[in-house]
Structures are given as structure tokens and as C-alpha cells.
């Protein structure tokens, strides 16, 4: 298949066409859809302290710029809400966000935003987990032991660090608003790890991926910080998990030119095949890749968020 037709085929055939482009760098697709568009704007959240995350953002930025023939500007936010509001208000064209963030955007603008890609692991999984973590020297051994103890969530808009665990607590007969002695928000997964290490609360809810509860996890906030020698994995212990949770998505504004959306989908979908060494360098696992998704992939998360908001409103807005 000639490269000039590759992106239009990707729109029709999804990632089947992406695979036909393996081993080639994306080329600029001609057409007048770029008329009046000066740049592609992409929102990202998280800390710039992680070199691997910064490298990943820069790689994605360069990839999309090469594919679209336009500069790609990153709008960086230190919290989830910044990305959510940038997407909802139309300040950006696309964003990387977890299911809970997308559910928030969906509640605000509906079909004006749509997920197009999510990460698929080598084993075929497209999800990750919430992990309830305590310090290794803690006497707390189970969720039952957490009654009357303090808990640190990540962020109100965090899927694994707030939304899903609260829903799972309720399924197990636990009222997340009264079961714990104190509830705090750390502001991010890295901050939650440090707060837990410093004894600011008795347990924290963190993201865990690259495995499962039976075999353990190879990725997540704890593992990332351990690789950077900021913490020691032996100082922490997982006592409860929930999942799998649908992985984060590339979400696009649907009121943008369709050729632009198709190019983004094709360029990112082909990245692990076109540049496998770079794929590994930016922190992705061997054998993983992006796969196409739609709103339906996140319907359960959308429903969980709506139910949680209704529950809190019924209790006078308590967090």
C-alpha cells in the first residue's frame, strides 16, 4: 500500500491499516484541511519530574507534528481538572486522559469529545488496577483493618485513585464516606506515595499496572518512583485491589477536521511498529500497542461517575 493512501485507509479500516505501515515514518498528508489551522493543541497532565514521562510527551509531540505537518503545542497541567476543562472548553484539540476524566468531559460536552485509542498490553489486556497500599511496617493487613484509619485518595477526577475504589467499597458493603477516620486528596499519584511514606495517612489508593493481583505489578507510581531511587518497594505493601479498569485514552474534539482525527489515530497507532526502539524508550512495554476504542469502552466508568456524584449529592455534597 502506498504511503499517500495509508492514512485514508486507516480511517476506513482502523488499526488493520496501521499495521500495513510498519517500519515507516509518518509523512505529511496533503489537503486543504489545514487551512486556517496554525497548530495542533494537545493537553497532558502529570509531573515533569519524571524523565520518562517528559520523553514520552516529546516523542508524541514530534510524531504528531511529522504526521500532520503542523506544530504540536503541549498544554501541560499539574492536575486532572486542567486537562478536563481544556478539552471541554475547546482550548485543545486532543488530550490523554483516564476514563474518569473522559467521563467528566462526556458529562459536559457529550459527543463533542470522543476517545479514539487506548493502550493494549502484550497479553491483550486494556486495563489497569486500583491498589490500596500501606507501609510495610503497618499492622493493617486488609480492607477490614482499615476501619477507623485515614485514607489518601489521588484526586477527585482520578479513576483508579478515587472513582473506582469508592464504587468497589460500596459493593463490599462499605460506606467510603464514614468507614475511614479521615479522607485526604494528595493531588497526584507521586504525591500520594510521598505522603504515605511520610505518614500523612495510613493507606493510599494508587494505580498499578503491568500485571495482576496474583502475579504482582511491574508498573505504577510505586514502581516508577522506585526506579528513580525515590522510594524502596520493600517499604510498601498492597492489601487490596480493584480492576481491571479501562486504560487511559487519546480523546479528540469531534468538531475538528476529520482528516486531522484520522491522522492522529493512524500516526499514534503505528508508533510501536514504526519505531519500536522509541516505543520502549518512552516507557511502553514490549508487545504493547494502541488499539481503537469508542465511548462504549468507557460506559461503565461513565456510569460509575454519575452514580458517585448522585450519592454525594444525596449526602449533602460530602467528598
Amino acid at each position: 500500500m502506498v504511503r499517500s493512501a495509508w492514512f485514508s485507509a486507516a480511517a476506513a479500516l482502523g488499526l488493520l491499516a496501521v499495521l500495513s505501515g510498519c517500519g515507516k515514518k509518518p509523512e505529511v498528508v496533503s489537503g486543504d484541511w489545514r487551512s486556517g489551522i496554525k497548530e495542533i493543541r494537545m493537553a497532558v497532565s502529570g509531573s515533569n519530574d519524571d524523565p520518562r514521562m517528559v520523553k514520552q510527551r516529546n516523542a508524541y509531540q514530534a510524531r504528531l507534528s511529522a504526521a500532520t505537518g503542523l506544530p504540536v503545542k503541549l498544554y501541560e497541567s499539574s492536575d486532572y481538572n486542567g486537562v478536563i476543562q481544556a478539552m471541554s472548553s475547546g482550548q485543545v484539540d486532543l488530550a490523554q486522559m483516564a476514563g474518569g476524566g473522559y467521563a467528566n468531559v462526556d458529562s459536559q460536552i457529550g459527543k463533542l469529545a470522543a476517545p479514539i485509542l487506548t493502550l493494549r498490553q502484550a497479553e491483550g489486556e486494556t486495563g489497569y488496577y486500583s491498589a490500596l497500599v500501606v507501609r510495610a511496617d503497618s499492622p493493617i493487613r486488609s480492607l477490614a483493618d482499615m476501619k477507623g484509619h485515614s485514607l489518601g485518595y489521588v484526586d477527585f477526577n482520578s479513576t483508579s485513585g478515587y472513582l473506582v475504589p469508592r464504587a468497589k467499597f460500596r459493593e463490599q458493603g462499605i460506606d467510603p464516606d464514614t468507614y475511614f477516620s479521615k479522607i485526604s486528596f494528595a493531588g497526584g499519584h507521586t504525591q500520594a506515595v510521598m505522603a504515605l511514606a511520610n505518614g500523612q495517612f495510613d493507606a493510599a489508593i494508587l494505580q498499578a499496572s503491568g500485571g495482576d493481583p496474583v502475579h504482582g505489578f511491574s508498573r505504577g507510581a510505586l514502581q516508577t518512583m522506585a526506579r528513580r531511587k525515590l522510594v524502596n518497594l520493600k517499604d510498601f505493601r498492597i492489601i487490596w485491589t480493584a480492576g481491571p479498569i479501562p486504560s487511559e485514552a487519546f480523546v479528540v474534539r469531534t468538531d475538528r477536521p476529520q482528516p486531522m482525527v484520522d491522522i492522529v489515530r493512524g500516526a499514534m497507532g503505528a508508533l510501536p511498529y514504526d519505531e519500536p526502539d522509541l516505543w520502549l524508550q518512552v516507557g511502553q512495554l514490549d508487545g504493547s500497542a494502541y488499539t481503537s476504542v469508542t465511548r462504549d469502552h468507557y460506559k461503565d466508568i461513565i456510569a460509575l461517575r454519575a452514580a458517585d456524584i448522585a450519592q454525594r449529592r444525596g449526602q449533602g455534597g460530602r467528598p
Side-chain angles (χ1 to χ4, degrees):
M1 180 181 295
V2 296
R3 192 64 179 181
S4 61
W6 184 79
F7 282 115
S8 59
L13 301 178
L15 293 185
L16 291 177
V18 169
L19 298 177
S20 70
C22 295
K24 300 180 181 179
K25 297 288 183 69
E27 297 177 2
V28 174
V29 178
S30 62
D32 57 7
W33 67 268
R34 294 191 300 270
S35 300
I37 300 178
K38 296 181 179 180
E39 61 187 10
I40 306 296
R41 300 164 298 174
M42 178 178 175
V44 293
S45 66
S47 173
N48 286 324
D49 295 336
D50 187 346
R52 185 171 294 186
M53 182 176 291
V54 173
K55 189 169 186 177
Q56 183 181 98
R57 292 174 180 174
N58 292 341
Y60 291 175
Q61 183 180 30
R63 177 77 177 181
L64 293 178
S65 180
T68 62
L70 293 169
V72 175
K73 182 175 181 179
L74 295 182
Y75 284 74
E76 300 176 354
S77 174
S78 60
D79 60 20
Y80 295 86
N81 193 56
V83 173
I84 291 167
Q85 297 310 318
M87 174 60 70
S88 297
S89 64
Q91 295 178 15
V92 298
D93 308 302
L94 67 149
Q96 281 184 277
M97 56 177 56
Y102 166 63
N104 191 327
V105 170
D106 182 77
S107 71
Q108 295 186 54
I109 61 174
K111 293 181 179 180
L112 282 175
I116 58 171
L117 293 170
T118 194
L119 190 66
R120 185 198 69 241
Q121 300 298 337
E123 298 80 9
E125 296 181 353
T126 57
Y128 58 104
Y129 289 80
S130 287
L132 181 59
V133 182
V134 298
R135 294 182 297 278
D137 59 1
S138 171
I140 299 171
R141 297 285 173 179
S142 66
L143 182 58
D145 293 338
M146 274 298 298
K147 186 173 183 179
H149 290 276
S150 58
L151 175 66
Y153 289 115
V154 172
D155 184 282
F156 173 75
N157 287 299
S158 173
T159 313
S160 61
Y162 180 76
L163 182 62
V164 168
R166 281 174 60 86
K168 295 304 179 181
F169 291 157
R170 291 195 185 98
E171 288 181 8
Q172 295 183 27
I174 292 173
D175 183 344
D177 297 319
T178 61
Y179 191 75
F180 308 104
S181 62
K182 181 181 178 182
I183 292 173
S184 304
F185 287 96
H189 288 274
T190 299
Q191 296 93 318
V193 172
M194 296 309 300
L196 177 60
N198 294 330
Q200 292 178 233
F201 30 72
D202 298 315
I205 292 285
L206 301 172
Q207 179 195 48
S209 61
D212 57 52
V214 175
H215 302 95
F217 301 99
S218 62
R219 304 181 70 189
L222 277 175
Q223 288 77 8
T224 297
M225 295 179 69
R227 283 194 294 268
R228 296 170 59 202
K229 309 298 183 183
L230 297 176
V231 297
N232 190 326
L233 284 178
K234 295 180 180 180
D235 293 337
F236 303 91
R237 179 163 34 86
I238 296 175
I239 62 170
W240 177 89
T241 59
I245 304 164
S247 296
E248 73 173 13
F250 274 96
V251 180
V252 299
R253 290 277 307 199
T254 59
D255 52 359
R256 297 325 194 235
Q258 187 60 44
M260 185 197 83
V261 175
D262 295 338
I263 291 172
V264 169
R265 189 198 324 267
M268 295 309 302
L271 176 57
Y273 309 103
D274 288 354
E275 302 182 72
D277 291 339
L278 177 62
W279 183 249
L280 299 180
Q281 290 171 19
V282 299
Q284 303 294 9
L285 298 178
D286 189 24
S288 64
Y290 282 118
T291 186
S292 291
V293 289
T294 64
R295 182 183 187 273
D296 190 61
H297 187 71
Y298 297 94
K299 63 181 181 181
D300 291 341
I301 299 298
I302 292 171
L304 283 183
R305 181 179 182 275
D308 187 72
I309 289 176
Q311 178 80 15
R312 289 186 293 105
R313 284 176 178 170
Q315 296 179 347
R318 290 177 58 186

